[in-house]
């Protein structure tokens, strides 16, 4: 599926695409991971994929040259903090796109800190401050991230109330894409444009390896 160039950091490429059909331009398979940062099942899938499967792909030239991975942010609104953590990821994507996957890893490892029970009594901007500090832990400028996230308590001159923050429009694009393709459950995996219902969040490295052998041809 297409990826807006402004979100290029959400893509992982490992090698140089090769020509698979005579007379056609180089092409790769596309694996899209629809994940929510405060979903335990998304965390489980990401952890296995990022730490075990990605190195596996890199070690196999056929897979490395024939596959791209796209992280699709799947906001789950029944978790109110889901919006906030996804905004933080988009802020990092804007400030330091090369740190996007590393920050995503940090978010998943610390997701408990952003569950309902741990944000319910916290002002929104205080949650943003904690998220900006988490971004700093992976080498991203804390102030730049917070400035993108912070909500003002004053209506901007010539503006209107309920404006959101400097990431709101990017968040809308992420949500619109998920709606467009009809994704509801997190995690959901789409391979070459088709939902891969056989892929589970509980898959091991070995199960992913078997799937890659069959799918990247």
């Amino acid at each position: 599926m297409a990826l807006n160039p402004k979100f290029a950091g959400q893509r992982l490429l490992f090698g140089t695409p090769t020509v698979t059909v005579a007379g056609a331009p180089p092409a790769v398979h596309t694996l899209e991971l629809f994940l929510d940062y405060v979903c335990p099942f998304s965390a489980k899938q990401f952890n296995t994929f990022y730490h075990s499967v990605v190195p596996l792909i890199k070690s196999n030239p056929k897979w490395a040259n024939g596959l791209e991975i796209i992280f699709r942010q799947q906001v789950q609104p029944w978790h109110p903090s889901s919006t906030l953590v996804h905004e933080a990821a988009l802020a990092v994507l804007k400030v330091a796109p090369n740190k996007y996957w590393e920050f995503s890893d940090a978010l998943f490892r610390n997701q408990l800190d952003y569950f309902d029970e741990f944000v319910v009594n916290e002002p929104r901007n205080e949650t943003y401050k904690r998220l900006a500090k988490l971004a700093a832990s992976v080498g991203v400028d804390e102030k730049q991230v917070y400035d993108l996230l912070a909500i003002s308590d004053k209506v901007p001159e010539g503006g209107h109330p309920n404006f959101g923050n400097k990431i709101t429009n990017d968040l809308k694009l992420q949500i619109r894409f998920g709606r467009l393709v009809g994704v509801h459950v997190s995690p959901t995996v789409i391979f070459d444009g088709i939902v891969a219902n056989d892929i589970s969040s509980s898959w091991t490295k070995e199960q992913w390896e078997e799937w890659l052998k069959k799918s990247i041809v």
Side-chain angles (χ1 to χ4, degrees), residues 11-50:
R11 172 184 278 123
L12 284 182
L13 287 172
F14 309 103
T16 303
T18 56
V19 174
T20 55
V21 179
V28 295
H29 295 284
T30 301
L31 186 69
E32 299 170 271
L33 307 175
F34 288 76
L35 305 169
D36 174 35
Y37 291 114
V38 289
C39 165
F41 301 102
S42 292
K44 188 174 185 179
Q45 184 172 83
F46 181 89
N47 183 59
T48 301
F49 191 85
Y50 186 65

Side-chain angles (χ1 to χ4, degrees), residues 110-123:
N110 293 275
Q111 70 171 194
L112 182 65
D113 293 343
Y114 305 100
F115 281 6
D116 290 348
E117 296 80 3
F118 298 96
V119 298
V120 65
N121 294 315
E122 184 174 58

Side-chain angles (χ1 to χ4, degrees), residues 6 24 30-31 40 53 62 88 94 104 129 136 142 162 167 169 180 185 187 202 214:
K6 73 188 294 186
T30 301
L31 186 69
V53 181
K62 181 179 180 181
K94 185 180 288 285
S104 293
K129 286 178 182 177
E142 181 177 340
N162 213 27
I167 291 299
N169 288 336
L180 175 67
V185 175
S202 63
K214 293 184 296 183

